[in-house]
Amino acid sequence: MSSKTLKIALAASVALNLFAVAAGATLLVTRAQVEDRVEAQHRPARAGSPMRLIDQLDPDVRERVRDQLRASALEARPDFEEARLKRRQAVEMGRSATFDAARAEALLAESRTAELRGRARLEADAVALLATLEPDDRRALSEILTRRGRVANRDRGGRSAPADAPKAAPST
């Protein structure tokens, strides 16, 4: 064999080996992602989810509670949307060439204020709703007052929210 043929064979061998390594790495990563998804599907739903809590209530009050929680979430929605908008604006400002630290801090403060306003509305409506329930139903539904984050937050790209993150709104 000539040296030119050997060089071509060596280059082909290297390319084939690189392709095989890349395929193997892709297979391992994809398999791990699939296993994570399967595991997530087999995990039980969050014990204190609003819908699961509502299902524990007396059938006579279940629809009224569901309607009131839905109405409360719809009323608080603009506050949470404003909070997300202000935070996105602060992030965009951080990415821009003309960064204004004072304006970014103001946007983040406005975001926190809107989020707290929305949470306060949800909590006040929840307390008012609990006051209308019988003791057994109130005991079952009182879990909605706990502060815990969503399992998968859209603004976080699907990552889990921290345990003390505020709820955006009760999902119905």
Side-chain angles (χ1 to χ4, degrees), residues 34-120:
V34 168
E35 288 175 356
D36 289 345
R37 288 181 188 155
V38 169
E39 182 181 325
Q41 287 177 348
H42 291 302
R43 266 187 238 131
R46 191 175 80 179
S49 72
M51 296 299 13
R52 188 170 290 228
L53 293 173
I54 291 171
D55 290 341
Q56 296 175 14
L57 299 178
D58 185 297
D60 297 334
V61 298
R62 193 175 294 155
E63 281 306 310
R64 178 177 62 88
V65 168
R66 184 175 283 126
D67 291 343
Q68 287 181 344
L69 287 176
R70 182 177 292 125
S72 175
L74 289 174
E75 288 177 15
R77 184 181 213 155
D79 294 324
F80 291 109
E81 288 174 350
E82 178 186 349
R84 285 189 293 272
L85 173 67
K86 299 292 184 181
R87 186 159 300 273
R88 280 193 300 268
Q89 289 173 346
V91 168
E92 285 303 314
M93 181 170 290
R95 292 178 180 154
S96 73
T98 58
F99 178 70
D100 180 0
R103 179 69 181 136
E105 286 180 18
L107 285 169
L108 291 172
E110 291 171 16
S111 173
R112 283 190 302 273
T113 300
E115 187 174 329
L116 289 174
R117 191 172 52 242
R119 186 185 314 150

Side-chain angles (χ1 to χ4, degrees), residues 6 13 19-20 24-25 31 42 59 68 71 88 97 102 107 130 136 141 151:
L6 285 175
S13 176
F19 177 75
R31 183 175 180 188
H42 291 302
Q68 287 181 344
R88 280 193 300 268
L107 285 169
L130 289 173
D136 289 338
L141 194 62
V151 174

